[in-house]
């Protein structure tokens, strides 16, 4: 019940295209869903996060869509750029904080020029 | 503006050796964490601390120990290194629950056990 399942494992998109990464969870107690972005040789960094009281959150070209009934959430990257090439992790936690975040296994995104 | 600093960045150990990965943060965060990252496996929590003198086990604590004597420092000790501990280790810090969930990560320590 503590798992967060992320797909796909890898994704190749052309510049200007839309990148979509999906995550699913079982534990209905999860109430905080962040996405982290990791460039090679660096630590992950928070990209965008959502709480279950909203169905969508947008920050620039990045959008989280959240479906509480299906227990799924996804990251959409519009107008994907080569600089977006990185590994993306979804995560979830209880009580809305960073304590004991459960991470998905990651998606390696490659945006071709 | 250092954030979370980890040392060393790279280390090769022989089986059975011990070592300490150092982590320090200058953001006055109460919460600190150690994760390990293996290819295709995401980030697994090893240990975490909610304040000086308080530590707790995460998902994969076996073979590791931690201490938290100050707010700034959270070293990770590997005793009797094994090949299964070959990984990239990340230290992170945060304000903790109720104050925003953002984790601030260091740049990682790559450990190889031969």
């Amino acid at each position: 019940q503590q798992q967060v399942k992320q797909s796909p494992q890898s994704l190749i998109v052309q510049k200007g295209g839309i990148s979509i990464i999906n995550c699913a969870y079982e534990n209905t107690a999860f109430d905080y869903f962040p996405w982290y972005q990791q460039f090679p040789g660096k630590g992950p960094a928070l990209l965008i996060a959502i709480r279950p009281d909203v169905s969508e959150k947008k920050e620039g070209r990045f959008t989280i869509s959240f479906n509480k009934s299906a227990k799924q959430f996804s990251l959409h990257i519009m107008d994907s750029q080569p600089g977006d090439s990185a590994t993306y992790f979804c995560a979830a936690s209880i009580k809305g904080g960073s304590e004991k975040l459960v991470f998905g296994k990651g998606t390696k995104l490659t945006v071709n020029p | 503006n250092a954030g979370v600093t980890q040392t060393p960045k790279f280390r090769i150990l022989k089986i059975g050796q011990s070592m300490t990965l150092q982590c320090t943060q200058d953001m006055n965060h109460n919460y600190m964490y150690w994760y390990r990252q293996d290819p295709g496996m995401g980030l697994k929590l090893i240990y975490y601390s909610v304040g000086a003198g308080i530590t707790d086990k995460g998902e994969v604590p076996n073979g590791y120990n931690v201490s938290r004597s100050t707010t700034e420092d959270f070293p990770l000790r590997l005793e009797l290194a094994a090949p299964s501990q070959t990984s990239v280790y990340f230290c992170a810090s945060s304000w903790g629950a109720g104050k925003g969930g953002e984790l601030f990560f260091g740049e990682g320590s790559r450990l190889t056990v031969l």
Side-chain angles (χ1 to χ4, degrees):
Chain A
Q1 271 216 329
Q2 287 296 99
Q3 282 188 323
V4 176
K5 295 182 179 179
Q6 183 172 348
S7 63
Q9 188 173 5
S10 63
L11 180 62
I12 299 174
V13 174
Q14 292 300 116
K15 179 181 176 181
I18 301 173
S19 303
I20 301 174
I21 304 170
N22 300 299
C23 286
Y25 63 96
E26 289 294 324
N27 190 344
T28 55
F30 286 144
D31 59 2
Y32 174 67
F33 302 91
W35 286 87
Y36 281 79
Q37 180 187 54
Q38 183 182 30
F39 293 107
K42 302 294 185 181
L46 179 66
L47 180 65
I48 187 173
I50 197 169
R51 298 185 189 275
D53 52 342
V54 296
S55 60
E56 185 175 282
K57 183 174 182 179
K58 183 176 182 179
E59 291 185 2
R61 297 183 293 108
F62 299 90
T63 299
I64 299 179
S65 298
F66 184 78
N67 186 328
K68 189 174 182 179
S69 61
K71 292 184 284 187
Q72 295 175 347
F73 58 110
S74 59
L75 176 69
H76 296 235
I77 306 175
M78 309 300 289
D79 187 27
S80 299
Q81 299 296 312
D84 297 330
S85 297
T87 299
Y88 293 82
F89 294 96
C90 63
S93 71
I94 301 172
K95 296 183 181 179
S98 56
E99 184 180 353
K100 291 190 174 180
L101 265 177
V102 178
F103 284 88
K105 293 186 177 182
T107 297
K108 184 177 181 180
L109 171 65
T110 302
V111 181
N112 288 327
Chain B
N1 196 22
V4 178
T5 302
Q6 293 182 233
T7 56
K9 292 190 184 303
F10 302 93
R11 182 74 186 267
I12 297 175
L13 280 181
K14 293 182 180 179
I15 294 173
Q17 287 185 322
S18 300
M19 75 160 298
T20 299
L21 299 177
Q22 302 290 345
C23 175
T24 187
Q25 54 95 4
D26 63 359
M27 296 174 281
N28 203 30
H29 287 162
N30 290 322
Y31 286 48
M32 295 189 74
Y33 313 79
W34 275 105
Y35 287 89
R36 61 176 288 172
Q37 182 178 24
D38 301 298
M41 297 302 294
L43 292 147
K44 302 286 188 183
L45 182 63
I46 304 171
Y47 272 96
Y48 70 101
S49 169
V50 301
I54 306 169
T55 63
D56 205 352
K57 295 178 181 179
E59 183 181 359
V60 290
N62 292 342
Y64 307 94
N65 278 299
V66 294
S67 60
R68 184 97 181 270
S69 57
T70 67
T71 299
E72 295 78 18
D73 300 307
F74 190 42
L76 178 71
R77 178 86 176 158
L78 281 73
E79 304 281 1
L80 299 175
S84 61
Q85 293 178 306
T86 293
S87 187
V88 181
Y89 292 85
F90 287 98
C91 179
S93 69
S94 75
W95 293 113
K99 295 186 179 181
E102 183 172 3
L103 285 175
F104 295 83
F105 285 86
E107 295 203 333
S109 297
R110 182 177 294 275
L111 175 67
T112 302
V113 181
L114 300 174

